Amino acid sequence: MSENQKTIEFTITTSRDQLVDKTIEEIKKHTYLDPLFDAAFKALLSDEEALVNFLNGVFHLKESNKIESVVIKNSEINVIFPAVKSFRLDIRATTSNGIHINVEMQKAKPDYFVDRVLLQHSAFMLQSKYEWDQLNFGNLPTNLTKEQRATREIHRYEVPPTYAIWICDFPISEQKNFRGDWAVRSKEGLTLSDKMMYILYDLTKFNKTFEKIVTAEDRWLYLLKHAGKAEKLPNFNDSVIAKAIHRILVNRASEKLIKDQANDMVWTEEELDRWALLEVRAEQKAIAKGHKQGLEQGLIQGLEQGRVEMALDMLSNNEPIEKIVKYSHLPESKILELKASLSGYATK
């Protein structure tokens, strides 16, 4: 490595614990916890009353067929999952009318996002099928009657309705509007089964102002999008929403909840993989540019450009400054300069 290349390296000695502590300090400067991160998202919605209110809004249910109650279940999935991490859903529940629900908050877009939705839903459906079978046939005696065997055979491959709701804080290129309703359909548009439904929300396309908020669906999406930066949130004269907002007030949150939130905001194993991928891509761009412009100078410029792109990506996801410095290897002054340029662009 040349001397010029060495000058663009930026060594960070900040430990994870230090980053968590700094993030806690930043969190305490805000009015609300940001529900775009898991801990606050679950505090906001992993409550039976709030979840019923939210789901009735999502499904646009009228008074006569509204969901009356839900049972919130363990978020772990006991299925062998092909990933290098433990597998948990954000919120898993069963409604009073027998629908199995998975609600996910996704802050950053992974490669193969749609594949992830399908893969996760497959595991969720298998877990739901197992629990449904246990409920209906788990207590049958060993010496089954002819009628019991016949009933079990009829329902052997029956699956309960499984609906997945993904709330995404990134552009979903596959859909034009903030909401997309997806299902398994034929080329002619015929639905193969109405027992599987995917509802994808793109918060970057949800731009309704407070004055335009009408439905329960609008209210929850408005809260999810704006809570992290708001000084005061509207409760829309809804006691359930008022209680939910109260649960994410920073000055009311427990130290454990705040620390969990900070841990979510610093990094997870999945995020470590993502930032490593961004760094590898930055290096690859540098090498490609080096071949075009003369290897040494091109490598320096290309690596710098890749790191800037990585920092901009992280800034757009509201990552803490210390975290961006650590992964982009850019000095804090450069990160702040990029942040200021983004803010200036947003106001134009």
Side-chain angles (χ1 to χ4, degrees):
M1 182 180 288
S2 71
E3 287 302 315
N4 284 337
Q5 284 175 284
K6 289 180 183 177
T7 60
I8 63 171
E9 296 293 337
F10 194 79
T11 304
I12 304 297
T13 57
T14 306
S15 71
R16 188 182 195 286
D17 288 342
Q18 288 174 310
L19 285 176
V20 169
D21 290 341
K22 287 184 178 180
T23 304
I24 289 173
E25 291 175 14
E26 287 301 312
I27 288 171
K28 290 184 175 180
K29 295 176 183 177
H30 292 77
T31 305
Y32 304 99
L33 298 172
D34 189 347
L36 298 182
F37 294 92
D38 282 356
F41 177 70
K42 291 171 185 176
L44 185 76
L45 271 179
S46 195
D47 167 88
E48 291 183 8
E49 193 178 35
L51 192 56
V52 166
N53 191 305
F54 170 76
L55 292 175
N56 282 324
V58 168
F59 297 127
H60 304 161
L61 297 178
K62 304 299 182 184
E63 200 64 44
S64 59
N65 62 344
K66 279 190 174 182
I67 297 168
E68 297 295 332
S69 63
V70 294
V71 176
I72 295 176
K73 299 190 170 184
N74 189 320
S75 60
E76 279 192 44
I77 293 293
N78 299 315
V79 173
I80 296 174
F81 195 73
V84 288
K85 63 169 190 169
S86 59
F87 182 47
R88 288 176 176 270
L89 304 179
D90 285 346
I91 297 174
R92 186 168 74 94
T94 303
T95 69
S96 52
N97 53 350
I99 298 172
H100 293 243
I101 301 287
N102 170 214
V103 187
E104 294 292 313
M105 178 68 237
Q106 188 68 26
K107 185 77 175 72
K109 183 175 185 177
D111 286 359
Y112 301 104
F113 167 65
V114 173
D115 289 32
R116 174 176 175 172
V117 171
L118 296 174
L119 185 64
Q120 184 160 313
H121 192 82
S122 298
F124 168 54
M125 185 169 64
L126 285 172
Q127 181 76 23
S128 301
K129 166 64 173 169
Y130 171 79
E131 292 176 358
W132 188 84
D133 281 354
Q134 288 297 107
L135 180 65
N136 289 284
F137 307 110
N139 296 319
L140 289 178
T142 54
N143 55 333
L144 298 180
T145 66
K146 179 172 61 178
E147 288 74 20
Q148 287 171 327
R149 285 187 178 279
T151 300
R152 188 170 66 177
E153 177 59 24
I154 289 171
H155 299 286
R156 184 176 300 278
Y157 299 110
E158 182 180 6
V159 295
T162 52
Y163 297 167
I165 302 165
W166 287 73
I167 303 161
C168 304
D169 189 35
F170 53 80
I172 300 174
S173 56
E174 293 78 10
Q175 63 187 45
K176 295 180 180 179
N177 300 316
F178 72 84
R179 173 177 173 144
D181 290 59
W182 302 84
V184 181
R185 295 189 175 94
S186 69
K187 289 183 178 179
E188 293 76 22
L190 300 174
T191 301
L192 182 64
S193 172
D194 59 4
K195 287 188 172 183
M196 287 184 292
M197 182 188 296
Y198 307 86
I199 298 174
L200 308 184
Y201 286 111
D202 179 346
L203 288 182
T204 68
K205 296 184 180 78
F206 181 78
N207 298 312
K208 293 187 179 182
T209 61
F210 171 74
E211 295 75 21
K212 298 290 184 180
I213 301 300
V214 176
T215 67
E217 177 184 45
D218 291 343
R219 293 168 195 156
W220 286 105
L221 294 178
Y222 184 90
L223 294 178
L224 287 163
K225 180 161 185 171
H226 296 287
K229 297 178 180 178
E231 293 185 6
K232 185 173 177 59
L233 287 171
N235 62 25
F236 303 103
N237 295 317
D238 186 317
S239 61
V240 175
I241 287 179
K243 291 176 190 174
I245 291 172
H246 189 268
R247 287 194 294 273
I248 60 169
L249 278 169
V250 171
N251 63 8
R252 297 279 185 173
S254 67
E255 288 299 318
K256 181 182 182 305
L257 177 54
I258 291 175
K259 187 167 185 179
D260 287 345
Q261 179 82 345
N263 273 300
D264 289 340
M265 294 173 72
V266 172
W267 69 74
T268 63
E269 280 298 313
E270 189 172 344
E271 284 181 308
L272 283 171
D273 291 348
R274 174 169 171 73
W275 305 136
L277 173 62
L278 289 174
E279 191 166 1
V280 166
R281 285 176 175 169
E283 291 168 357
Q284 289 171 343
K285 284 184 180 180
I287 292 170
K289 194 162 187 175
H291 287 303
K292 288 182 179 180
Q293 296 185 2
L295 192 57
E296 184 173 319
Q297 187 61 30
L299 281 172
I300 295 169
Q301 292 179 0
L303 191 57
E304 181 77 6
Q305 179 184 344
R307 288 173 174 174
V308 167
E309 289 175 4
M310 182 179 182
L312 289 169
D313 182 81
M314 296 179 77
L315 281 167
S316 68
N317 283 312
N318 297 315
E319 300 289 357
I321 297 298
E322 293 84 0
K323 184 176 177 181
I324 302 173
V325 169
K326 179 177 177 64
Y327 285 103
S328 68
H329 302 291
L330 292 172
E332 184 175 339
S333 58
K334 180 65 176 178
I335 305 299
L336 293 173
E337 179 186 325
L338 292 171
K339 185 177 181 180
S341 69
L342 284 177
S343 299
Y345 178 80
T347 58
K348 290 180 182 179

